[in-house]
Amino acid sequence: MPDTAPAPPSPLGIAVPHRELLDQLFDKWSPQVLELLCDSPLRFSELRRSMPAVTAKSLTATLRRLERNGIVERLIVSSRPVAVEYRITPLGKTLREPIDVLLEWIGTHMAGVESARARFDREEVTG
Amino acid sequence: MPDTAPAPPSPLGIAVPHRELLDQLFDKWSPQVLELLCDSPLRFSELRRSMPAVTAKSLTATLRRLERNGIVERLIVSSRPVAVEYRITPLGKTLREPIDVLLEWIGTHMAGVESARARFDREEVTG
DNA sequence: CGGCATCCTGGAGGATACTG
DNA sequence: CAGTATCCTCCAGGATGCCG
């Protein structure tokens, strides 16, 4: 089994596929979808109800990308009326840890970031 | 340890400032800049040399955003000729952990993602 | 050397309407 | 219900040129 990449965690600038994946994981709606599906499988319309700001087109695109990356899976539950269920895959579940670590960082340091912003903006105006 | 739903640290969809920060931390060049500055402070031109693909304008914008968020700091080392040094802040250093966790996830699961992609693309064509 | 100012383009994502 | 089909907008980021 080519279980590749044992340790060195940082070909950040070079690794184009890594960038692409990163972009998809942190695109506009994926994090929220992941969060919702983490709790339980949901149907398309249930996702829409939970995300009032997203359009059908964008949600579809988001789900397709996640599905393509193996993060989410799409199951047709019944036809007429069509019912489709989205659920997180085992691979997708493993994403929770890194995402939660990131969210914890934000939770811990957001205040610091915001005061830095305030200082920066103030000095910009003041000179 | 909890068997289900350990801790919900996740106002992901709602928290707009979180999104904004997330977008800036994972924009096109910030991760690479962070990685480079993590090792040692660098001057603008040194960063450019290390990042052949970035334009001056984009690098400047990236650094300004990072500076505004308190992740990086900008010091004028000398004038005539102008020399400016960028270095990571203590706040910025704390970002390494979440980023490394993410990179490790990618390192570990990229193969799985790619095989999922291959399967998806194949099935799309086939049927 | 370390930038701005300007112009331009690609592609994500919204609005709206339609369909199997 | 779960999408597709168009059209349109916005803006990150590239290209180029100038400047203190």
Side-chain angles (χ1 to χ4, degrees):
Chain A
M1 272 296 280
D3 197 8
T4 64
S10 290
L12 244 187
I14 315 93
V16 181
H18 292 208
R19 262 256 53 116
E20 187 196 343
L21 180 55
L22 222 47
D23 286 342
Q24 296 188 354
L25 295 181
F26 292 100
D27 68 7
K28 190 165 187 181
W29 301 111
S30 289
Q32 195 177 350
V33 168
L34 252 356
E35 185 187 353
L36 289 167
L37 293 187
C38 230
D39 299 332
S40 73
L42 290 173
R43 306 209 351 221
F44 188 83
S45 52
E46 295 175 315
L47 281 168
R48 289 206 69 184
R49 267 192 291 280
S50 303
M51 304 165 62
V54 78
T55 62
K57 178 193 167 187
S58 295
L59 183 55
T60 302
T62 300
L63 290 166
R64 286 290 180 285
R65 273 190 304 262
L66 289 172
E67 189 193 357
R68 191 173 108 93
N69 286 317
I71 309 294
V72 147
E73 92 191 301
R74 175 176 181 274
L75 324 113
I76 297 169
V77 174
S78 84
S79 339
R80 208 180 50 275
V82 185
V84 176
E85 187 181 275
Y86 289 92
R87 61 171 62 214
I88 202 163
T89 63
L91 177 59
K93 276 180 187 153
T94 67
L95 251 179
R96 263 217 106 158
E97 191 213 344
I99 287 185
D100 282 352
V101 169
L102 205 51
L103 290 177
E104 273 168 36
W105 184 92
I106 292 181
T108 306
H109 297 99
M110 194 66 193
V113 168
E114 281 181 339
S115 72
R117 286 179 182 175
R119 189 176 340 113
F120 184 93
D121 294 345
R122 181 164 9 95
E123 286 172 5
E124 236 190 1
V125 174
T126 304
Chain B
M1 283 303 279
D3 51 353
T4 51
S10 298
L12 244 188
I14 315 93
V16 182
H18 292 210
R19 262 256 54 117
E20 187 195 344
L21 181 54
L22 223 47
D23 286 342
Q24 298 188 355
L25 295 181
F26 292 99
D27 67 7
K28 190 163 186 182
W29 302 110
S30 289
Q32 195 177 351
V33 168
L34 251 358
E35 185 188 354
L36 289 167
L37 293 186
C38 232
D39 298 330
S40 75
L42 290 173
R43 307 217 340 230
F44 188 83
S45 51
E46 294 175 317
L47 281 168
R48 288 206 70 185
R49 267 193 292 281
S50 303
M51 304 167 62
V54 78
T55 63
K57 179 194 167 186
S58 295
L59 182 55
T60 302
T62 301
L63 289 165
R64 285 289 180 285
R65 273 190 304 260
L66 290 172
E67 189 192 354
R68 191 174 108 92
N69 287 318
I71 308 294
V72 146
E73 94 192 300
R74 176 178 180 272
L75 324 113
I76 297 170
V77 173
S78 84
S79 341
R80 207 178 53 270
V82 185
V84 176
E85 189 180 274
Y86 290 91
R87 60 172 62 213
I88 203 164
T89 63
L91 176 59
K93 277 180 188 152
T94 66
L95 250 179
R96 265 218 104 156
E97 193 213 343
I99 287 184
D100 281 351
V101 170
L102 205 51
L103 290 178
E104 274 168 37
W105 185 91
I106 291 180
T108 306
H109 297 99
M110 193 67 194
V113 169
E114 282 180 338
S115 73
R117 286 179 183 176
R119 188 175 343 113
F120 183 92
D121 294 345
R122 180 164 10 95
E123 286 172 5
E124 235 191 1
V125 173
T126 303

